[in-house]
Amino acid sequence: MAPPTTDTPATGGPVAVPRLSPLGWARWAWRILTSMRTALILLFLLAVGAIPGSVLPQRGVSVDQVRDYAIENPDLAPWLDRLYLFDVYSSPWYAAIYLLLFVSLTGCVLPRAAAHYRAMRARPPRTPRNLGRLPYSARFTTAAPPGTVLAEARSLLSGYRADTDGDSVAAEKGYLRETGNVVFHLALLALLAALAAGSFLGYRGNMLVIEGDAFANTVPLYDAFYPGTAVDADDLQPFSFTVDDFRATFIEEGGLSGQAASYAADLTYTAAPGEPERTHELEVNHPLSVDGVQVYLLGHGYAPHFKVTDADGDVVFDQPVPFLYRETATFTSDGVIKVPDTGGEQLGFTAVFLPSAAEAADGSLISDFPDARDPVVTLTGYKGDLGLDSGRSQSVYQLATGDMTEIGDSPELRPGDTWELPDGSGTVEFTGYSDYISMQANSNPARVPALVAASAAVVGLVLTLFVRPRRVWVRARAGADGRTVVEVAGLSKSEGAGATSAFHSLSLALRDRLRERPAADDGTKE
């Protein structure tokens, strides 16, 4: 007990104010956390927290889009990154909201479900003393005895859960409304659990595959890999596939000219080594599903082919190089070519690829369409040390020129053109280009449970919206004149004028039935 701190109004003497113990504070915090108000607030915060994940690019979906955003917003991007706004769904603050919501729903829904179960097994509410005070009430008399009235009432209320309470019948229906409410919240809880299980047991990875190349589901072949906590990288599903062909079509006229109309890739895949080969047409909304993994098509780009010879005429580089587009309107793309095995000073090139080369108003070279109508490459060459042996990680899309010397710029190169490097350092030939596609592999073992939970939530919501709970009471008492006084009353637990009409129809049906019942054994009728 705390020492006296205030005065009582009556005597002016001190009053002792009790202090909460740690257990008391814990109980108070638990009651606050598990209240429905807190659950709704957390659900609202979860929805608000997901907005940046929908507006801003996310690393888990496309590292390239995050990189492009950082290039376009160099001042803002670092601050957004500090707030985990490029990794919203794996951020500490989003996880905190998620976990609090899970605990709140658990503590709120489970007791409510238990209470509803007890209510369904309990008897209907006792008949109120004054039925005339209820929102609907009606009274009439009949020659049928009270027992007959109550029997007819129970028969008429066959769709209700009814019970005889002395001289009255109490009935109730619409328990499915609260059942739907409980099912909705339990399904929401199951959905949260399924999402957590999917994050714990699943994984996702991003990869870039050039047309004609193959991919096997191993961690080293991913450009970015995000495993769940319980995922063993050595136990990934052993599927593989080859990108046989890729087709991109673009809108050519109107205000949407240059926008992509469709992307499609033909894949040949196997679920495991030794399994038969199958084919699949991969499209943006038509992923490849194999062994529990979904492979999605995210984007497309160009990979120009280069053949580099050294000063002795030996081919030291001959392969396609993926370029990253600056923007999707024209697919002007930047890339880097690194040639370390020259036998002398290493060579490096920064390059710009223009799918549809055109001359701008100021005379500069631009691309005016994303499709490869007139592909052109321009190069800037460097000679020296590429820094590949420094032990530091280096992006394949960046060229470290600190220990290199610029050797000049190339002319405009079209497929088949060759640039003779200065000082007899060799040649660079632009031999053509290939398409590449960026994809994401997503493994989520809890996908089906999440779908079932979401479907159950919809069913529960429908029940909550359309089921109308009602209570009806019928009382039958002998009147002073020997006739039976019948009182019918109804109470709707939801808004709507339909309940009054239903109660009135029930009263009329009961009255009409009783008109046909004998008043006594002598066979007289009402």
Side-chain angles (χ1 to χ4, degrees):
M1 300 290 288
T5 56
T6 60
D7 292 337
T8 60
T11 63
V15 62
V17 178
R19 290 177 179 172
L20 285 177
S21 65
L23 181 59
W25 280 109
R27 288 175 176 171
W28 175 84
W30 177 253
R31 283 195 295 269
I32 295 297
L33 179 60
T34 57
S35 66
M36 183 57 69
R37 177 181 297 180
T38 301
L40 291 174
I41 291 174
L42 289 171
L43 189 61
F44 175 75
L45 290 177
L46 195 72
V48 171
I51 293 176
S54 303
V55 175
L56 297 172
Q58 299 295 295
R59 286 192 178 92
V61 177
S62 176
V63 177
D64 296 338
Q65 292 182 3
V66 175
R67 173 188 56 80
D68 294 341
Y69 187 91
I71 293 174
E72 296 172 1
N73 304 273
D75 297 328
L76 179 61
W79 288 100
L80 296 178
D81 202 17
R82 290 188 184 99
L83 297 174
Y84 299 93
L85 295 183
F86 296 128
D87 303 277
V88 167
Y89 304 110
S90 59
S91 63
W93 56 266
Y94 195 82
I97 298 174
Y98 184 94
L99 292 174
L100 286 173
L101 177 60
F102 188 87
V103 173
S104 179
L105 283 176
T106 302
C108 178
V109 174
L110 294 184
R112 184 170 181 175
H116 177 58
Y117 176 74
R118 291 191 297 269
M120 291 182 64
R121 294 176 59 86
R123 298 175 59 185
R126 295 180 62 86
T127 305
R129 179 173 307 207
N130 191 344
L131 294 179
R133 293 181 178 179
L134 293 175
Y136 173 84
S137 63
R139 176 184 292 190
F140 61 90
T141 61
T142 178
T148 302
V149 173
L150 298 182
E152 287 293 340
R154 293 204 61 163
S155 175
L156 190 62
L157 296 170
S158 59
Y160 289 70
R161 188 165 62 88
D163 183 56
T164 302
D165 181 18
D167 61 355
S168 63
V169 172
E172 187 171 16
K173 68 181 299 185
Y175 280 93
L176 282 179
R177 178 186 178 90
E178 181 61 18
T179 300
N181 201 342
V182 171
V183 167
F184 172 78
H185 287 92
L186 287 175
L188 183 59
L189 191 62
L191 182 61
L192 291 175
L195 294 176
S199 177
F200 188 75
L201 301 173
Y203 66 86
R204 67 181 185 275
N206 295 76
M207 60 279 200
L208 183 152
V209 183
I210 299 174
E211 183 181 22
D213 286 352
F215 173 85
N217 191 32
T218 57
V219 174
L221 293 186
Y222 282 103
D223 298 318
F225 185 70
Y226 307 94
T229 306
V231 173
D232 188 346
D234 295 329
D235 294 331
L236 302 186
Q237 296 90 332
F239 69 87
S240 61
F241 61 82
T242 300
V243 180
D244 299 318
D245 182 54
F246 176 79
R247 300 172 301 281
T249 58
F250 300 90
I251 300 174
E252 300 194 12
E253 297 179 353
L256 300 178
S257 176
Q259 292 192 16
S262 67
Y263 289 158
D266 294 329
L267 306 183
T268 301
Y269 71 94
T270 58
E275 293 288 327
E277 289 187 343
R278 295 180 174 86
T279 59
H280 178 79
E281 185 178 37
L282 183 69
E283 296 180 296
V284 173
N285 293 317
H286 187 211
L288 168 66
S289 296
V290 53
D291 201 10
V293 181
Q294 285 69 48
V295 180
Y296 296 90
L297 172 59
L298 299 182
H300 147 261
Y302 293 103
H305 292 237
F306 297 96
K307 183 166 70 174
V308 182
T309 62
D310 61 12
D312 298 327
D314 296 327
V315 177
V316 293
F317 186 92
D318 187 6
Q319 65 186 59
V321 180
F323 279 29
L324 300 179
Y325 54 82
R326 298 176 185 173
E327 34 77 29
T328 57
T330 65
F331 267 82
T332 299
S333 306
D334 300 299
V336 166
I337 309 161
K338 300 179 183 182
V339 188
D341 302 322
T342 60
E345 289 188 294
Q346 297 175 333
L347 296 175
F349 305 89
T350 58
V352 177
F353 177 75
L354 307 170
S356 297
E359 186 174 334
D362 59 359
S364 61
L365 195 64
I366 62 170
S367 176
D368 62 1
F369 198 76
D371 202 6
R373 294 173 171 175
D374 182 20
V376 170
V377 168
T378 59
L379 305 171
T380 299
Y382 296 87
K383 183 167 58 176
D385 182 9
L386 290 170
L388 300 179
D389 299 327
S390 63
R392 293 176 296 178
S393 61
Q394 190 177 118
S395 171
V396 295
Y397 302 108
Q398 294 180 336
L399 182 66
T401 59
D403 296 326
M404 306 189 77
T405 302
E406 183 175 340
I407 59 177
D409 297 325
S410 74
E412 299 173 7
L413 301 178
R414 287 178 168 81
D417 291 346
T418 300
W419 177 31
E420 296 282 346
L421 299 179
D423 302 327
S425 300
T427 63
V428 179
E429 181 183 358
F430 173 35
T431 60
Y433 69 92
S434 294
D435 294 286
Y436 71 78
I437 55 177
S438 57
M439 294 178 282
Q440 182 179 86
N442 192 336
S443 175
N444 185 355
R447 186 177 68 258
V448 173
L451 176 61
V452 172
S455 302
V458 173
V459 172
L461 187 61
V462 169
L463 292 175
T464 301
L465 293 176
F466 293 101
V467 174
R468 297 289 182 258
R470 297 166 185 172
R471 291 175 177 173
V472 176
W473 294 273
V474 178
R475 176 179 286 145
R477 292 177 176 174
D481 57 356
R483 295 175 63 84
T484 300
V485 178
V486 182
E487 293 179 277
V488 181
L491 173 66
S492 175
K493 298 174 66 177
S494 60
E495 297 180 358
T500 300
S501 175
F503 293 145
H504 189 62
S505 298
L506 190 148
S507 298
L508 294 178
L510 179 61
R511 185 196 63 181
D512 293 341
R513 282 194 180 193
L514 293 174
R515 281 178 176 173
E516 302 174 1
R517 301 295 298 180
D521 295 336
D522 60 3
T524 60
K525 295 182 178 291
E526 181 186 2

